[in-house]
Amino acid sequence: ALRDAPRVLHLDRRIAAPNVVRLPMPAAALDAARAAFDGAIRPHLERNLIEDLEAQPVPCSQLRSAYGNFFVMRGGSSTDESKRHSSDLAWISVDDMPTWEAFRKIF
């Protein structure tokens, strides 16, 4: 059973973070991912995406761009109002197979 499996704790000693695994990443892949982020996500952030999410009952949105389609959801909790502001993070993911394939080619 899973509960009987040995517990393994990854620790990235450089940033002292548990459960972080660092992998080598080609500079070209990082450049391509940054270009996609700058083209697809940054314009929305500059137009107050996070603040706009706060005004919605469920803090999420779909983003459409020339770089693909993305889903963004504000961190915290969408189901427990008392935890809604417990994080300042947002989750951004690809929102369809063509966008997933584009990112798969990068990495």
Side-chain angles (χ1 to χ4, degrees):
L2 185 58
R3 68 177 172 265
D4 298 328
R7 295 187 62 178
V8 176
L9 178 66
H10 298 283
L11 177 65
D12 184 306
R13 297 190 190 293
R14 184 172 172 194
I15 60 174
N19 298 325
V20 171
V21 178
R22 290 175 151 245
L23 303 171
M25 185 67 58
L30 292 175
D31 291 342
R34 183 179 300 116
F37 175 86
D38 286 346
I41 308 298
R42 187 178 302 278
H44 294 279
L45 292 172
E46 291 171 349
R47 289 192 303 268
N48 299 318
L49 170 65
I50 302 302
E51 291 82 0
D52 292 346
L53 290 175
E54 285 297 322
Q56 297 177 191
V58 177
C60 65
S61 183
Q62 293 176 311
L63 307 178
R64 305 292 177 230
S65 77
Y67 290 87
N69 299 316
F70 300 86
F71 174 80
V72 60
M73 183 162 194
R74 178 84 163 74
S77 176
S78 62
T79 57
D80 183 342
E81 189 64 32
S82 70
K83 295 179 183 173
R84 182 170 177 146
H85 300 287
S86 64
S87 175
D88 62 351
L89 301 177
W91 173 265
I92 301 170
S93 63
V94 299
D95 200 29
D96 60 19
M97 286 306 293
T99 308
W100 183 85
E101 287 289 345
F103 275 83
R104 183 173 184 232
K105 289 176 186 174
I106 291 173
F107 297 101

